[in-house]
Amino acid sequence: QVQLVESGGGTVTSGESLRLSCTASGSISTIRVLGWYRQAPGKKREMVAGIALGGGTTEYNDPVKGRFTISLGVGKDRTWLQMNNLRPDDSAIYYCNAAIENTSPQGLRTMKVVWGQGTQVSVSA
């Protein structure tokens, strides 16, 4: 099993920066992708950024491109989301997410997703 714990949320003014951290514990070797999602009140949860642990490939949702940067710790058990030039529409609960690959004794590979508890980011105008 993998557990995720986020930290670093808070309240800032438009244009300021925040850095979110997500620490993974448990079966770290089964993690294939770490990412960040967010959900604002009344809206669907949306992907913000993701990073593949194998090759370090990153992906960003269009609204955050050029402002947010996802990175991976050397031990591949921690990811950070550097958020610059924050805007009021970035306000949401931010969730860390891990895509995990398990292999059964019979050799069947399955993927599942694990979520952290979320951290609140609030940006005032």
Side-chain angles (χ1 to χ4, degrees):
Q1 291 293 336
V2 172
Q3 297 79 39
L4 303 172
V5 177
E6 305 101 328
S7 62
T11 301
V12 297
T13 303
S14 184
E16 293 185 333
S17 300
L18 278 175
R19 190 188 194 207
L20 304 182
S21 175
C22 172
T23 301
S25 61
S27 302
I28 305 299
S29 63
T30 64
I31 300 175
R32 299 294 175 257
V33 179
L34 284 170
W36 292 92
Y37 282 66
R38 67 185 181 186
Q39 187 167 20
K43 294 188 177 182
K44 293 181 179 180
R45 190 173 296 189
E46 63 176 1
M47 192 274 282
V48 176
I51 185 165
L53 271 62
T57 303
T58 58
E59 183 176 352
Y60 298 91
N61 199 3
D62 285 344
V64 308
K65 285 181 180 177
R67 299 187 299 123
F68 291 12
T69 303
I70 188 170
S71 58
L72 187 63
V74 173
K76 297 186 178 181
D77 60 347
R78 184 171 296 185
T79 181
W80 294 273
L81 185 68
Q82 178 67 41
M83 305 185 294
N84 297 329
N85 192 22
L86 282 161
R87 310 183 304 218
D89 60 0
D90 293 316
S91 297
I93 299 175
Y94 283 69
Y95 297 91
C96 184
N97 159 286
I100 297 165
E101 181 180 22
N102 289 312
T103 304
S104 73
Q106 294 75 28
L108 177 64
R109 293 184 180 180
T110 58
M111 299 292 295
K112 73 171 187 178
V113 174
V114 174
W115 296 92
Q117 82 286 355
T119 185
Q120 178 71 50
V121 171
S122 299
V123 185
S124 60

